[in-house]
Structure formats: structure tokens, C-alpha cells
Amino acid sequence: MDLDILFQKSDLIPVIIQDMETKDVLMLGFTNREAVALTVKTKTAWFWSRSREKLWNKGESSGNYLHVKKIVTDCDMDTLLYLCTPDGPTCHTGRRSCFFQTIMEED
């Protein structure tokens, strides 16, 4: 796929990380053209850190890499979904997923 199609609207696009086996949503990050290319090359998830303004490979400091098994895009081709096998917890808090704080729950 031509990566230019993904980055027509913005230099950064969201990427949703989902567990390949359980289908649990593990995290959301942002990626740029270079991070996607590195992800495809290394088969581990690379992102663009908006706070640090640099590329980062998830797991480079914790050892909890996200092994990317499949990449798909949404219908507008401006968001990616990485289906991954995680080495350990995805969240920096040590939790399996970054999504654990309930805001609303219907009875």
C-alpha cells in the first residue's frame, strides 16, 4: 500500500492496538509515515510520541513489545488498527490495557 494515501489529511494519524487473540483494545497511539514503515519492517509497533516529539518502539524500555500480526485501515483511510500479540502489559501502569477507568456504565 502507498503510505501517502494514509497521510493525506494529517502527518499524524491514530492507531488502535487490539489483542490479536482476545480482540481486547489495548491502547491508542499516534503514528506517522516513518513509524508505520518501521512497524512494517520490524513487525513491532512504532509510534510518534506527541509529548516527547520523537519516534518510539513500544516495549523498548519495558520489554513489553507489541508484535504486529496484521494492519488494517478504516473506510476513510485515516486511522489504523494493529492486531498484535503483546509480550506483557501494554499500559505504562502495568495493566494489560490502557482502557481501565470507567466514565459511564449503563445499569
Side-chain angles (χ1 to χ4, degrees), residues 48-54 56:
W48 177 259
S49 171
R50 296 179 301 163
S51 59
R52 294 178 282 161
E53 296 189 354
K54 69 174 198 166
W56 64 284

Side-chain angles (χ1 to χ4, degrees), residues 34-49:
E34 186 178 3
V36 173
L38 284 166
T39 297
V40 170
K41 180 180 178 181
T42 66
K43 297 186 177 32
T44 60
W46 285 79
F47 302 93
W48 177 259
S49 171

Side-chain angles (χ1 to χ4, degrees), residues 34-93:
E34 186 178 3
V36 173
L38 284 166
T39 297
V40 170
K41 180 180 178 181
T42 66
K43 297 186 177 32
T44 60
W46 285 79
F47 302 93
W48 177 259
S49 171
R50 296 179 301 163
S51 59
R52 294 178 282 161
E53 296 189 354
K54 69 174 198 166
L55 289 169
W56 64 284
N57 184 213
K58 176 70 177 124
E60 64 191 351
S61 59
S62 67
N64 296 326
Y65 289 94
L66 294 167
H67 301 278
V68 181
K69 304 300 182 183
K70 186 176 182 178
I71 300 174
V72 295
T73 186
D74 70 334
C75 57
D76 294 326
M77 298 192 79
D78 60 5
T79 301
L80 292 175
L81 172 66
Y82 291 177
L83 292 139
C84 300
T85 301
D87 277 340
T90 299
C91 186
H92 73 281
T93 65

Side-chain angles (χ1 to χ4, degrees), residues 12-45:
L12 286 180
I13 61 173
V15 55
I16 301 161
I17 304 300
Q18 188 174 32
D19 187 297
M20 180 75 172
E21 187 176 318
T22 67
K23 304 303 185 232
D24 291 341
V25 175
L26 302 177
M27 69 171 278
L28 178 128
F30 288 88
T31 191
N32 63 12
R33 188 183 323 263
E34 186 178 3
V36 173
L38 284 166
T39 297
V40 170
K41 180 180 178 181
T42 66
K43 297 186 177 32
T44 60

